Amino acid sequence: MSYQYILVETRGRVGLVRFNRPKELNALNAGLMEELVTALEAFDAEPAIGALVVAGNERAFAAGADIKEMAGLSAVEMLTRDSIGRWDRLRRLRKPLIAAVAGFCLGGGNELAMTCDMIVAAETARFGQPEINIGVIPGAGGTQRLTRAVGKALAMEMVLNGRLITAEEAYRCGLVNRVVPAEACLDEAVALAQQIAERAPVAVRLAKEAVNAAFETPLTDGLADERRAFYMLFSTADQKEGMAAFIEKRPPQWQGR
Ligand code: HXC
């Protein structure tokens, strides 16, 4: 499949998608988002792939939704096109998704990074929800995921006053997993994805579901779901293999079942 706005490649067991609108700072137009979701869904369905990475370039992960594409639209056009509806497909990806973020990570770009399961940030990364500067608010989870990640005080400042934060600040407040030199960012994200991709796939899938459920369910329900998933894993060959390998002091050989 050929794409206009993204570059797609496989590195080991990792499916990698990079935005390719450098002149527009990878602004997320409808075409780019459709290609992104399509490529990630294809990797998600591919058994040889165990984890996914999404990245921009050194100047920008993404500077937000494409302002020029939406500037003239009416509320009814926005509603009927419902381009943010496409983002729901990202939440349904079963494999871990890691964002490699360098440069600007703003508006919809930050919302996309926060939709991922983990974020590896370059020292150059700048995170923000500057929609207030153009007369709107975040529309793809910025007010919700940012607040859950960094807390109310900082989220209010970023969303109400358009404040950008550095990679170091993002690390301190729990928005990103780690901060690395810019030139190492993509490789670090791919290496992290590769490590996860080499783990027992059924356990990884249930682990991702269980952690994500912590944001959606009351504690009692989340604990019950987690316990059922834990017990269910004892029906997999990989549980028998993983525990036998530990006892026999050898590396496990996963079968993905
Ligand atoms: C369309 C964009 C863009 C965007 C940058 N460009 N951001 N085009 N949509 N979000 C374009 C510029 O128009 C310009 O094109 C080129 O990219 C380079 O940008 P410059 O502004 O010249 O670069 P610089 O001076 O370095 O400033 C970088 C910047 C600034 C601080 C990131 O571009 C900026 O403020 N961008 C908008 C950020 C923003 O408001 N994002 C939120 C969008 S709303 P030309 O052709 O003029 O050279 C949003 C809502 C999400 O994301 C809702 C859910 C999806």
Side-chain angles (χ1 to χ4, degrees):
M1 175 137 185
S2 74
Y3 295 104
Q4 185 180 352
Y5 301 112
I6 59 173
L7 303 169
V8 178
E9 64 179 283
T10 300
R11 294 193 187 177
R13 284 181 44 78
V14 176
L16 170 62
V17 179
R18 285 180 291 166
F19 305 135
N20 190 26
R21 290 190 83 201
K23 279 199 225 122
E24 295 84 4
L25 304 184
N26 294 326
L28 305 170
N29 63 3
L32 186 154
M33 284 305 301
E34 182 57 33
E35 290 187 1
L36 171 70
V37 172
T38 302
L40 291 175
E41 284 176 341
F43 279 138
D44 206 40
E46 169 57 57
I49 295 295
L52 318 168
V53 171
V54 58
N57 55 37
E58 283 183 15
R59 191 165 172 221
F61 177 72
D66 191 323
I67 299 170
K68 292 166 192 168
E69 187 179 64
M70 64 187 164
L73 297 180
S74 69
V76 171
E77 284 166 332
M78 287 296 284
L79 185 77
T80 49
R81 288 184 187 197
D82 189 24
S83 56
I84 303 173
R86 186 181 284 114
W87 291 53
D88 294 340
R89 288 159 58 194
L90 295 173
R91 292 176 61 206
R92 289 197 286 273
L93 294 171
R94 289 162 305 192
K95 293 174 184 166
L97 175 60
I98 299 174
V101 175
F104 294 113
C105 183
L106 305 179
N110 194 40
E111 291 173 306
L112 181 57
M114 292 189 296
T115 303
C116 297
D117 301 307
M118 290 177 235
I119 302 175
V120 174
E123 288 161 348
T124 56
R126 294 292 175 274
F127 299 86
Q129 298 291 157
E131 288 91 340
I132 201 77
N133 296 331
I134 54 171
V136 290
I137 68 168
T143 64
Q144 303 302 298
R145 291 199 178 93
L146 186 68
T147 308
R148 284 167 166 79
V150 308
K152 178 177 166 179
L154 183 55
M156 283 289 187
E157 214 179 326
M158 292 173 72
V159 174
L160 274 61
N161 209 23
R163 178 176 155 205
L164 306 191
I165 60 172
T166 62
E168 202 49 52
E169 197 171 3
Y171 177 70
R172 282 202 306 273
C173 65
L175 185 63
V176 307
N177 290 74
R178 58 184 77 165
V179 181
V180 299
E183 60 276 12
C185 184
L186 182 59
D187 287 346
E188 280 274 341
V190 171
L192 178 59
Q194 183 67 34
Q195 285 170 9
I196 297 168
E198 283 164 10
R199 300 188 180 280
V202 182
V204 168
R205 175 177 169 168
L206 293 180
K208 168 171 167 159
E209 275 176 28
V211 174
N212 278 331
F215 294 97
E216 316 247 354
T217 44
L219 183 60
T220 307
D221 296 348
L223 290 172
D225 287 348
E226 178 196 76
R227 193 174 308 168
R228 272 193 292 275
F230 178 73
Y231 292 154
M232 199 283 267
L233 283 166
F234 283 72
S235 68
T236 64
D238 285 345
Q239 174 269 325
K240 298 288 174 278
E241 167 65 7
M243 294 192 181
F246 174 81
I247 292 162
E248 293 160 19
K249 300 186 188 300
R250 61 172 176 81
Q253 298 289 324
W254 305 125
Q255 296 179 46
R257 61 184 180 83

